[in-house]
């Protein structure tokens, strides 16, 4: 099969299409003919050598895809060859075939194309597991998401608004602010010109739940802007890994700092998340209340350009790659 | 009534017995004739001017007491004048009378004296709310408590052992190590001579739940010793307030840092905790499976000595004051 390989680590130019051996569906897995995959920031880290795939995962990048079932491994029930699906992967989406545990499959939501469906699994599973399962965002609470027009951000805004939360976000430009507000954010904060702590306090008195991709760089201000009982959930470290934590402030607020990732979770935990997403998010997608936001669709051959797009951070929503 | 007042902030010599006005039981409160109270580390901070009582709380120190109900405020049901009780207070225990919301009362457990009962409310409520309600310690998990022979430590060890957890703790001396192990700790780590990260990893592979009183000083090592899915709960800041948090380590473990306190919680939250303690901890105390560990009992007149005892940190368990 064809796959994007990493003969070395570095900038986007190391991404190399090559002919490689086909994967095989092990027990409990299915083999997919991949139709589309999508780019995640973790793929960029993996390309640079900062994010080793977990043990047992494919060596090729790609944390989600859509496609058709080509073969069923031993013991897989409920799916048939030819079914159109999308899937949460622990790697290997940048390839014409991928093997995936059956618990990580989702049907293509009614009304969505296979290509659009490739943009959903990572953002839906990440947002649902962190904002709703872990942080238990409640209706009426204030939710702040950093990177409001990232793939994660666009899904987080929509799901939190639908849940009845007050939603604020940070963005890098006025164009992005308009996009985030059109998705339902009450106020998109242009972090280059505004201090998010000040704006969130002014608008809403503070945040009950924060979904953060900046890590160390935002840690002190995130803690500052939390309200009593607040939950900060760190899922990215784009602003560094070691930050100063003001435990007196955290204690005074009876607040918590969580940090999580999806990729390294055991298969059973991923299946539980996928099941919850199917029950809670898919109906909203099929009803048209929540949609995948796709910045653009490129052929897999343009994978280098796709990575450069994410690095330039001018995109809004997901960058999808088709095979 | 008599009360320990704070005419100024400073060392134990500022603690001054004085005649002051009696408190009055407001709606939903009862007035207690105090029989005994106990010293908490928060009292020392308050004495030094670092811990303002929350709005509405008594200005006098004392976060728990035992005594007899002297009067019922408007709307209090289920209690009668003369009942022997102990209580979680937001202040005012170092006095011959105190007013307390009825939801913070507990009966004196069968088999315990009124004086012993004064040593229970703070440790039982703190340990139960943090280790069991918040961190949800599970049977078979590894629990690490710092300060294993503090009042909190002695209760945490007993409750966690009874729950079926593997319990490790840190202590400052061999004498304290023996005391902690006699309460059920699998291994008491002498922190002056041993590195707790190394010992916990050697003995148990890491900790699932940590109850910490050291704050910043232990933050990096606490995060290091957490296992996947681990929960660090900071309830004291004896080692400073601002520490370095390694978010990459936390994220790799999908772990969380919580920081909480009991005193500033709203009355309804305290009542919910007290109710849970009554249901879960009181039966164990009455069955003799869990006991308050009392280092010594002093008359209220010796409150200065009692504070100096806690500052010297040679005590094991609680220091109780009688009226």
């Amino acid at each position: 099969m064809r796959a994007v390989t990493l003969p070395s680590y570095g900038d986007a130019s190391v991404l190399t299409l090559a002919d490689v051996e086909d994967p095989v569906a092990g027990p409990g897995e299915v083999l997919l003919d991949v139709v589309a995959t999508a780019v995640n920031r973790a793929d960029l880290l993996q390309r640079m050598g900062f994010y080793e795939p977990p043990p047992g995962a494919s060596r090729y990048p790609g944390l989600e895809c859509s496609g058709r079932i080509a073969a069923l491994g031993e013991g897989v029930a409920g799916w048939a060859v030819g079914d159109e699906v999308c899937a949460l992967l622990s790697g290997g989406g940048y390839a014409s075939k991928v093997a995936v545990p059956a618990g990580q499959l989702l049907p293509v939501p009614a009304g969505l194309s296979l290509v659009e469906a490739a943009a959903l699994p990572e953002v839906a599973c990440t947002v649902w597991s962190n904002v709703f399962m872990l942080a238990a965002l409640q209706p009426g609470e204030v939710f702040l998401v950093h990177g409001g027009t990232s793939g994660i951000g666009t899904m987080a805004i929509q799901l939190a608004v639908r849940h009845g939360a007050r939603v604020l976000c940070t963005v890098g430009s006025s164009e992005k602010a308009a996009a985030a507000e059109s998705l339902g954010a009450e106020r998109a904060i242009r972090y280059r010109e505004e201090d998010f702590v000040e704006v969130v306090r002014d608008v809403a008195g503070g945040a009950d739940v924060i979904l953060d991709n900046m890590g160390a760089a935002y840690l002190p201000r995130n803690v500052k802007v939390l309200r009593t009982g607040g939950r900060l959930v760190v899922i990215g470290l784009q602003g560094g890994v070691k930050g100063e934590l003001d435990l007196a402030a955290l204690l005074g607020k009876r607040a918590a700092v969580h940090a999580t990732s999806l990729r390294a979770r055991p298969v059973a935990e991923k299946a539980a998340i996928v099941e919850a997403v199917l029950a809670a998010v898919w109906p909203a997608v099929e009803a048209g209340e929540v949609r995948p936001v796709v910045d653009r669709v490129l052929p897999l051959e343009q994978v280098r350009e796709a990575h450069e797009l994410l690095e330039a951070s001018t995109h809004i929503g997901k960058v999808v790659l088709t095979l």
Side-chain angles (χ1 to χ4, degrees), chain A:
Chain A
M1 68 166 183
R2 280 187 314 148
V4 173
T5 63
L6 294 168
S8 64
Y9 295 129
D11 67 19
S13 69
V14 303
L15 297 161
T16 305
L17 263 172
D19 285 315
V20 301
E21 224 173 298
D22 281 10
V24 175
E29 294 183 340
V30 307
L31 186 69
L32 296 183
D33 284 327
V34 177
V35 168
T37 184
V39 183
N40 285 281
R41 217 158 266 275
D43 307 343
L44 279 53
L45 293 177
Q46 181 173 346
R47 188 199 75 206
M48 293 186 277
F50 299 139
Y51 194 179
E52 273 296 289
S58 165
R59 303 297 304 167
Y60 314 123
L63 297 175
E64 59 192 330
C65 75
S66 61
R68 292 183 188 88
I69 295 180
L72 302 177
E74 204 188 307
V76 173
W79 298 100
V81 170
D83 281 354
E84 295 191 340
V85 296
C86 54
L88 183 69
L89 307 174
S90 57
Y94 290 17
S96 48
K97 289 176 194 294
V98 68
V100 54
Q104 288 161 227
L105 296 178
L106 288 151
V108 174
L112 248 56
S113 70
L114 259 175
V115 170
E116 288 170 308
L120 272 180
E122 263 287 327
V123 296
C125 292
T126 298
V127 171
W128 194 258
S129 61
N130 285 296
V131 178
F132 296 92
M133 295 170 77
L134 178 64
L137 180 69
Q138 300 299 310
E141 283 195 323
V142 178
F143 174 58
L144 170 65
V145 55
H146 292 299
T149 55
S150 68
I152 295 287
T154 54
M155 181 55 57
I157 291 170
Q158 293 180 81
L159 286 174
V161 166
R162 183 172 169 273
H163 193 64
R166 294 183 63 180
V167 179
L168 294 91
C169 67
T170 54
V171 294
S173 69
S174 299
E175 189 202 348
K176 289 181 174 181
E181 290 175 359
S182 80
L183 289 169
E186 180 176 336
R187 175 77 153 80
I189 302 157
R190 284 157 297 126
Y191 66 79
R192 292 183 218 276
E193 291 124 53
E194 304 179 287
D195 174 30
F196 73 80
V197 175
E198 250 174 58
V199 178
V200 172
R201 282 187 175 163
D202 281 358
V203 172
D208 297 294
V209 174
I210 303 176
L211 187 63
D212 173 79
N213 60 341
M214 292 301 293
Y218 277 12
L219 182 60
R221 285 192 289 157
N222 277 335
V223 168
K224 212 179 207 177
V225 84
L226 278 181
R227 291 164 70 167
T228 298
R231 295 85 78 195
L232 166 62
V233 184
V234 178
I235 59 168
L237 301 169
Q238 291 177 46
V241 303
K242 289 189 181 180
E244 188 181 80
L245 179 61
D246 183 343
L247 285 164
L250 205 67
L251 192 146
K253 296 173 182 191
R254 305 189 290 281
V257 180
H258 300 267
T260 77
S261 73
L262 203 48
R263 189 180 194 177
R265 286 182 188 268
V267 167
E269 285 185 30
K270 283 184 184 157
I273 291 168
V274 166
E275 202 185 328
V277 164
L278 180 63
V281 180
W282 252 228
V285 175
E286 297 193 335
E289 295 166 21
V290 167
R291 62 187 176 85
V293 177
V294 175
D295 183 89
R296 77 192 72 184
V297 179
L298 298 170
L300 188 65
E301 288 70 21
Q302 280 173 254
V303 63
R304 294 178 181 180
E305 187 183 330
H307 273 223
E308 284 161 358
L309 264 169
L310 246 75
E311 279 161 342
S313 266
T314 51
H315 63 296
I316 289 173
K318 300 284 293 187
V319 175
V320 172
L321 296 166
T322 53
L323 278 97

